[in-house]
């Protein structure tokens, strides 16, 4: 009987350990935000960190980052956008960076509401260039489908919403129920460190990006937020939204990485079938991190697509 109790106790500890580890992480609070480079807006679901970069005057470009890398992913592109004449607004999605980590589903309605409220808070009415990278491309697509009249143009960089491959762990999270959630809590940190470490020797326009990415694991709520987004925003099929955007005649620029293993290049063909007016470019030697590994090429592609 004692051995049985010990075995059961050991199993209970193994099951509980990932959740205990998460619970012991520090909150993203005022103390943690003292080093934040930007400002904060109090929105309906919590505090949102944002920064204005680029030019001091000119049209507004709003940049939406992806699943695991907060707004610092735009640090390398913002100067180029500024050189194109844009005032650049970047912000941290809920669950990432210096923003709050509210619980609950993280679907298109969740993220579109955050963006809509931030634009209202900052007095940005319309005629914006909306840029979305990876999952941020899916968020930008959902926003553009709902509010086409507010956009000057939509720029999608390796966007989710038309297919993706996040690997076996994400697949298990999407279809594995409680077991998938436990596996995410137990193994995501190790997987994330391994995947980001593989990019340490790549050229990057964002100084220390690997350490910045891995630093997200330090705070409570990041891993649950990634899990909620995998089950929510990332899993949404946005073909209908792309069709609505095509019907609205919003100008769409799409930029893809030719070596992207996460967002397949076949998505480019899918977008072309849905929206024949979309202008598209492939950076042949770029992977999924093209916003920071190939910043100059992305800006060059944007300039060419805008002026074509």
């Amino acid at each position: 009987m004692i051995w049985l109790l010990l075995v059961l106790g050991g199993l209970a500890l193994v099951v509980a350990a990932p959740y205990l580890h998460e619970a012991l992480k520090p909150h993203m609070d005022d103390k943690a935000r003292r080093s934040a480079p930007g400002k904060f807006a109090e929105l309906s679901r919590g505090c949102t960190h944002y920064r204005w970069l680029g030019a001091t005057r000119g049209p507004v470009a709003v940049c939406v980052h992806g699943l695991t890398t907060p707004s610092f992913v735009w640090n390398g592109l913002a100067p180029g956008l500024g050189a194109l004449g844009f005032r650049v607004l970047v912000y941290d999605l809920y669950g990432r960076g210096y923003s709050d980590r509210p619980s609950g589903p993280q679907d298109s309605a969740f993220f579109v509401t955050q963006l809509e409220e931030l634009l209202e808070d900052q007095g940005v009415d319309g005629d914006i260039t909306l840029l979305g990278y990876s999952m941020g491309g899916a968020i930008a697509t959902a926003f553009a489908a709902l509010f086409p009249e507010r956009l000057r143009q939509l720029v999608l960089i390796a966007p989710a919403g038309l297919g993706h491959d996040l690997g076996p762990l994400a697949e298990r999270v999407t279809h594995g129920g409680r077991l998938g959630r436990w596996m995410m809590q137990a193994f995501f940190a190790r997987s994330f460190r391994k995947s980001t470490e593989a990019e340490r020797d790549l050229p990057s326009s964002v100084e220390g990006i690997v350490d910045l990415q891995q630093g997200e694991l330090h705070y409570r709520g990041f891993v649950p937020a990634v899990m909620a987004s995998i089950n929510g925003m990332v899993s949404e099929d946005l073909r209908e939204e792309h069709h609505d955007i095509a019907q609205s005649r919003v100008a769409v620029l799409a930029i893809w990485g030719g070596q992207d293993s996460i967002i397949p290049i076949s998505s480019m063909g899918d977008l072309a079938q849905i929206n024949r007016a979309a202008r598209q470019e492939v950076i042949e030697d770029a992977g999924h991190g093209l916003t920071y590994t190939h910043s100059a090429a992305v800006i060059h592609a944007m300039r060419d697509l805008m002026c074509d």
Side-chain angles (χ1 to χ4, degrees):
M1 176 65 87
I2 294 176
W3 285 108
L4 178 59
L5 291 175
L6 289 174
V7 170
L8 291 175
L11 288 173
L13 183 60
V14 168
V15 171
Y19 299 100
L20 291 173
H21 179 68
E22 178 70 25
L24 291 173
K25 292 179 181 179
H27 285 286
M28 177 53 65
D29 54 16
D30 291 341
K31 180 180 179 181
R33 290 178 176 130
R34 288 173 186 170
S35 61
K39 298 181 179 181
F40 296 89
E42 289 293 340
L43 308 181
S44 65
R45 295 299 302 273
C47 183
T48 292
H49 171 247
Y50 69 91
R51 291 177 292 156
W52 281 97
L53 306 169
T56 56
R57 294 184 179 181
V60 173
V62 181
C63 300
V64 190
H65 68 77
L67 177 66
T68 60
T69 306
S71 60
F72 56 70
V73 78
W74 298 105
N75 288 358
L77 280 178
L81 292 170
L84 292 177
F86 288 106
R87 292 189 296 138
V88 184
L89 176 62
V90 304
Y91 69 102
D92 291 332
L93 297 171
Y94 289 131
R96 289 93 174 157
Y98 294 101
S99 291
D100 278 345
R101 279 99 162 106
S103 60
Q106 295 198 2
D107 54 12
S108 57
F110 175 80
F111 287 120
V112 166
T113 298
Q114 182 188 19
L115 176 54
E116 186 181 8
E117 291 180 351
L118 179 62
L119 294 178
E120 182 179 0
D121 180 86
Q122 293 299 293
V124 179
D125 295 327
D127 197 32
I128 64 174
T129 293
L130 183 60
L131 293 87
Y133 164 56
S134 193
M135 185 183 77
I139 296 168
T141 297
F143 184 92
L146 287 172
F147 306 108
E149 72 283 355
R150 301 183 64 174
L151 268 60
R152 171 180 293 194
Q153 55 201 344
L154 175 66
V155 181
L156 303 174
I157 305 173
L162 294 171
H164 62 271
D165 182 4
L166 298 179
L169 181 57
E171 185 72 17
R172 175 67 69 176
V173 169
T174 305
H175 302 291
R178 291 182 179 179
L179 176 60
R181 292 192 292 271
W182 181 85
M183 291 180 66
M184 181 72 173
Q185 286 289 169
F187 301 119
F188 175 76
R190 182 186 306 173
S191 175
F192 186 59
R193 288 192 182 97
K194 181 179 179 180
S195 64
T196 52
E197 201 64 41
E199 293 191 341
R200 189 172 289 278
D201 295 330
L202 293 179
S204 175
S205 61
V206 180
E207 184 178 356
I209 190 167
V210 171
D211 293 329
L212 290 170
Q213 288 173 308
Q214 294 180 5
E216 289 294 293
L217 296 167
H218 179 69
Y219 290 100
R220 189 186 306 180
F222 172 67
V223 176
V226 172
M227 180 164 48
S229 291
I230 290 172
N231 281 319
M233 186 76 255
V234 174
S235 296
E236 293 187 23
D237 187 319
L238 299 180
R239 284 171 174 78
E240 184 174 340
E241 284 77 4
H242 279 291
H243 177 75
D244 291 343
I245 292 167
Q247 292 294 106
S248 71
R249 301 186 182 279
V250 169
V252 176
L253 319 177
I255 303 170
W256 311 86
Q259 306 302 315
D260 194 337
S261 61
I262 295 175
I263 302 297
I265 197 65
S266 60
S267 295
M268 179 181 180
D270 293 337
L271 179 59
Q273 288 186 353
I274 299 169
N275 187 349
R276 297 188 180 278
R279 299 179 178 184
Q280 305 197 67
E281 181 90 7
V282 178
I283 302 175
E284 293 293 348
D285 60 340
H288 192 63
L290 70 170
T291 51
Y292 50 90
T293 63
H294 292 71
S295 300
V298 171
I299 291 296
H300 183 77
M302 281 187 61
R303 185 185 296 113
D304 286 351
L305 290 168
M306 288 175 179
C307 298
D308 187 11

